[in-house]
Amino acid sequence: MTKVRLSAKTRYMLGMVVDATGAGMYLPLSLLYFHHVTGLPLTQVGTLMTAAAVIGLISNPAAGVLIDRFGARAVVTGGYLLRAAGFCTYPLVDNGVSMFAVILLVALGDTSYPPAIQSFIAEFVKGTERDKLLAAQRSLRNAGLGVGGLLAGAVLALGSDAFYYVIVLCAAAGYVLAAVCFGSIPIPKAATPAPRVSRKGGYRLVARNRPFLALTLLNVPTAFGYTVLAVGIPAYVTQDLGASTSLVGVLYAVNTVGIALLQIPVTRGLVAFRRSRAVALGAAVFASSFVVFAALAAVGDKSVILVGVFVATALFTAGELMHGATASALCAQAAPEETRGRHLAVYQLSWAVPSALAPAVLTALLTFSPTAMWLILAAGATVSALGVLRLEPRLPEEAVYPRPRPTPVAAAEPART
């Protein structure tokens, strides 16, 4: 019998779909799950989740060192298994202390994942192929998240509290299967991390790379914008705009389906342009989305609010389509190969810190003034867009241009009489 061997990209995508489907079953219910099993108020659950996520950031610099020493594949699979172990202990949670302990375990795996997966991609794809793979990854991941959310809704519709535990254990199984898929992907020997990299000197090299640090800092405001889909929009739409809770699920579906269907064609179109320009445009579209959300607070007509919410969500999705995959490719190419793990670990802090702080920061801003929250986010995204444009000349040419620039041909000297 002929043995079928899947290509590295196929195994990568299969692992991503399995991971995303399991995560999609759990992510929309994370707050509700711990509120259900512990009986703690939602505000206290959110505070504990934020605290665990902030402490979990310590795994980010450690992941950079491990990536450069042992390779990204080992860190990716190890992080998956760590999160699977944490999810297997979720059914044992019955109070705030045990909840914090298991969330912290999963947070350590979550925080190590972004720099590891970015380095992993950089080890076996180059140039425009990297942009296309990242686009396909985002597309399939959003599809998996959507399918997972639908499965979770179907399971919970059966009406038994025991199905909360079924969802958690299915997510754990997804992490294990993803670890198997990624662990089986062969890495070319030439892409093996260089052993000469010093454990002590690696982050000093990152600190001296001023353009890369600037790129990292400029990503922070936009990364805060990404978090509104899970934190800001649900509370704003239901509490401040008076819309029904079911609308939140529809808006989430608009975003995930839009990314799943459009990410690949959009990214294929963007590879003809500078990555920095696409990233800046994506941040600018984010800003316009937040301005629309802010304006809806002053609208009294329910039908206008409904249309406005969908317009703002569509703009948010468009910004994500232009920014997400291209920003990942830009930073991965801007990182020197010898210390790519450490560089990407630092860059991923620009995602991890906003993600950890968002539940506390955005809910505080919503309580103070919903309009102010959206305008602050819009201003931050605008600063990010303008900053990336100004930074463009200082970034490596191979990072800015997905395709090598054609060598200009010198003009022939005019003949003299």
Side-chain angles (χ1 to χ4, degrees):
M1 184 173 63
T2 303
K3 185 177 181 181
V4 178
R5 289 186 61 84
L6 300 177
S7 67
K9 291 183 181 179
T10 302
R11 276 178 273 183
Y12 181 89
M13 289 303 173
L14 181 60
M16 191 59 62
V17 169
V18 172
D19 164 19
T21 303
M25 292 184 70
Y26 174 73
L27 283 176
L29 305 171
S30 54
L31 279 170
L32 296 178
Y33 174 80
F34 287 113
H35 171 65
H36 176 77
V37 298
T38 64
L40 297 173
L42 284 175
T43 53
Q44 189 173 346
V45 171
T47 301
L48 288 172
M49 293 178 72
T50 295
V54 170
I55 297 174
L57 293 176
I58 62 174
S59 69
N60 194 282
V65 174
L66 293 173
I67 292 165
D68 288 334
R69 283 191 172 269
F70 302 108
R73 182 176 59 182
V75 180
V76 169
T77 55
Y80 272 129
L81 295 176
L82 183 65
R83 286 182 285 178
F87 269 74
C88 286
T89 60
Y90 274 21
L92 305 178
V93 171
D94 59 2
N95 57 64
V97 175
S98 58
M99 170 192 157
F100 180 79
V102 298
I103 290 178
L104 179 59
L105 181 64
V106 173
L108 293 172
D110 284 341
T111 312
S112 68
Y113 176 79
I117 200 66
Q118 291 292 331
S119 299
F120 189 41
I121 292 173
E123 286 179 359
F124 69 95
V125 285
K126 306 291 182 183
T128 58
E129 289 302 311
R130 182 177 299 166
D131 298 71
K132 293 175 182 177
L133 181 62
L134 286 166
Q137 168 190 311
R138 287 179 60 81
S139 178
L140 288 176
R141 183 167 181 79
N142 275 272
L145 289 171
V147 171
L150 292 174
L151 289 174
V155 169
L156 292 180
L158 298 176
S160 173
D161 292 346
F163 287 115
Y164 275 99
Y165 302 114
V166 172
I167 290 171
V168 167
L169 294 177
C170 285
Y175 285 132
V176 173
L177 290 174
V180 173
C181 291
F182 284 108
S184 66
I185 297 175
I187 300 298
K189 291 183 179 180
T192 303
R196 66 180 181 274
V197 177
S198 168
R199 183 183 292 268
K200 296 181 180 179
Y203 280 109
R204 286 202 296 269
L205 295 176
V206 181
R208 289 198 291 267
N209 191 341
R210 299 297 177 83
F212 191 88
L213 291 180
L215 184 65
T216 299
L217 290 174
L218 287 170
N219 190 60
V220 172
T222 309
F224 258 110
Y226 272 81
T227 65
V228 301
L229 189 64
V231 180
I233 291 177
Y236 178 70
V237 168
T238 56
Q239 297 180 15
D240 297 289
L241 299 184
S244 65
T245 307
S246 60
L247 181 61
V248 174
V250 176
L251 296 177
Y252 184 79
V254 168
N255 176 262
T256 54
V257 172
I259 300 296
L261 295 178
L262 299 176
Q263 184 66 78
I264 293 176
V266 168
T267 303
R268 282 179 176 171
L270 291 175
V271 296
F273 304 95
R274 303 178 196 183
R275 289 188 178 115
S276 48
R277 303 289 173 91
V279 168
L281 180 59
V285 175
F286 267 135
S288 66
S289 168
F290 301 149
V291 170
V292 174
F293 274 119
L296 293 177
V299 176
D301 190 303
K302 293 293 183 181
S303 59
V304 174
I305 289 176
L306 183 63
V307 173
V309 165
F310 277 100
V311 169
T313 303
L315 285 171
F316 179 90
T317 303
E320 189 174 346
L321 286 166
M322 289 181 277
H323 182 275
T326 308
S328 297
L330 176 66
C331 75
Q333 194 67 47
E337 185 175 352
E338 294 79 8
T339 52
R340 182 181 287 132
R342 290 172 171 89
H343 273 79
L344 293 183
V346 170
Y347 177 78
Q348 291 302 330
L349 286 174
S350 68
W351 293 98
V353 171
S355 179
L357 297 180
V361 172
L362 295 187
T363 51
L365 286 173
L366 275 172
T367 303
F368 171 71
S369 170
T371 303
M373 182 197 76
W374 292 115
L375 293 180
I376 289 171
L377 289 171
T382 302
V383 169
S384 179
L386 296 175
V388 170
L389 292 178
R390 293 197 61 179
L391 183 65
E392 182 184 280
R394 300 173 58 195
L395 295 173
E397 183 174 303
E398 63 272 17
V400 173
Y401 294 90
R403 296 170 178 155
R405 297 178 69 187
T407 304
V409 179
E413 186 176 344
R416 297 182 180 179
T417 304

